[in-house]
């Protein structure tokens, strides 16, 4: 009787040790806006979410010269053109062309809810109530945007100019309704 229990215990241990090394499983949904997990050799590894991929792609635009109405990485872009192209390429979301309409398209966020890939909006024109500038957040305080004088750059939310002109944070809806 004890021999059967001993053999069963050994067999169970072998199965537990062998299975994680033999098989990888993946839990994901193609358009999942949250981070996905992959189990490889028994270790859970976090895959970037769609928004994190947006933040990474926005950074590849750094150094692109500014041109009003432009939306061409490496050649010329304005702030809303950058956002529009990055979200279309990475998330397959068709964004409005100007920053004010992009702000309306987004879900408004509190500062504590901001994640990489979310957007930040400013009123930088003569009308202090009219949104006229947008950037892509890459972490809690830094964002990528197209500056009219410097091209696509990385800036800090703690800069007095951006504190003074800040209007809101927004999250682009990634559900199926937004992708139509």
């Amino acid at each position: 009787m004890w021999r059967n229990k001993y053999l069963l215990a050994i067999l169970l241990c072998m199965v537990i040790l062998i299975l994680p090394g033999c098989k990888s499983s993946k839990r994901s949904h193609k358009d999942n806006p949250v981070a996905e997990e992959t189990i490889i050799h028994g270790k859970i590894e976090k895959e970037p979410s769609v928004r994190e991929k947006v933040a990474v792609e926005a950074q590849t635009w750094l150094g692109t010269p500014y041109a009003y109405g432009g939306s061409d990485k490496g050649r010329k872009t304005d702030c809303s053109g950058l956002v529009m192209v990055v979200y279309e390429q990475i998330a397959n979301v068709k964004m409005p062309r100007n920053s004010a309409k992009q702000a309306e398209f987004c879900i408004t966020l509190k500062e504590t809810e901001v994640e990489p890939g979310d957007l930040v909006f400013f009123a930088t024109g003569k009308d202090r109530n009219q949104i006229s500038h947008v950037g892509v957040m890459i972490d809690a305080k830094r964002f990528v945007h197209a500056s009219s004088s410097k091209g696509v750059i990385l800036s800090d939310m703690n800069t007095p100019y951006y504190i003074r002109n800040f209007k809101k944070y927004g999250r682009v809806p990634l559900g199926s309704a937004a992708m139509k």
Side-chain angles (χ1 to χ4, degrees):
M1 180 84 160
W2 67 270
R3 190 173 193 172
N4 287 343
K5 288 181 183 178
Y6 179 74
L7 288 174
L8 184 61
I10 289 174
L11 182 61
L12 183 59
C13 287
M14 288 175 58
V15 169
I16 290 171
L17 292 173
I18 292 171
L19 279 181
C22 293
K23 185 176 184 212
S24 294
S25 64
K26 187 173 185 176
R27 293 182 294 168
S28 69
H29 295 79
K30 184 180 177 209
D31 299 318
N32 187 355
V34 297
E36 301 166 345
E37 292 179 348
T38 301
I39 302 172
I40 301 174
H41 301 290
K43 182 179 176 184
I44 296 176
E45 295 183 8
K46 182 180 172 231
E47 293 181 14
S49 69
V50 171
R51 287 188 187 84
E52 288 169 330
K53 290 176 185 176
V54 163
V56 168
E57 175 60 22
Q59 291 175 76
T60 69
W61 286 60
L62 292 171
T64 299
Y66 179 85
Y68 180 78
S71 59
D72 191 4
K73 179 166 113 174
R75 295 181 49 100
K76 59 182 180 175
T77 193
D78 62 14
C79 61
S80 59
L82 161 72
V83 168
M84 180 185 73
V85 171
V86 169
Y87 262 94
E88 186 165 3
Q89 287 178 347
I90 302 301
N92 196 30
V93 174
K94 296 214 182 277
M95 297 283 293
R97 180 58 178 95
N98 72 57
S99 55
K101 295 289 183 188
Q102 289 174 349
E104 293 172 10
F105 184 81
C106 288
I107 300 161
T108 300
L109 301 172
K110 297 175 186 170
E111 183 177 6
T112 57
E113 299 171 318
V114 174
E115 296 176 1
D118 288 331
L119 303 181
V120 59
F121 296 94
F122 303 94
T124 57
K126 292 178 183 173
D127 183 348
R128 289 293 179 212
N129 294 315
Q130 179 65 38
I131 290 174
S132 56
H133 191 60
V134 61
V136 178
M137 298 298 295
I138 62 160
D139 59 31
K141 290 294 175 188
R142 297 179 303 156
F143 63 101
V144 172
H145 63 114
S147 161
S148 60
S149 60
K150 299 176 184 175
V152 179
I153 59 172
L154 184 63
S155 294
D156 191 303
M157 287 298 299
N158 292 324
T159 306
Y161 176 80
Y162 295 115
I163 291 170
R164 185 173 57 251
N165 293 297
F166 171 81
K167 292 308 287 180
K168 76 175 213 169
Y169 292 106
R171 178 162 295 157
V172 175
L174 297 178
S176 58
M179 295 189 192
K180 291 182 180 175

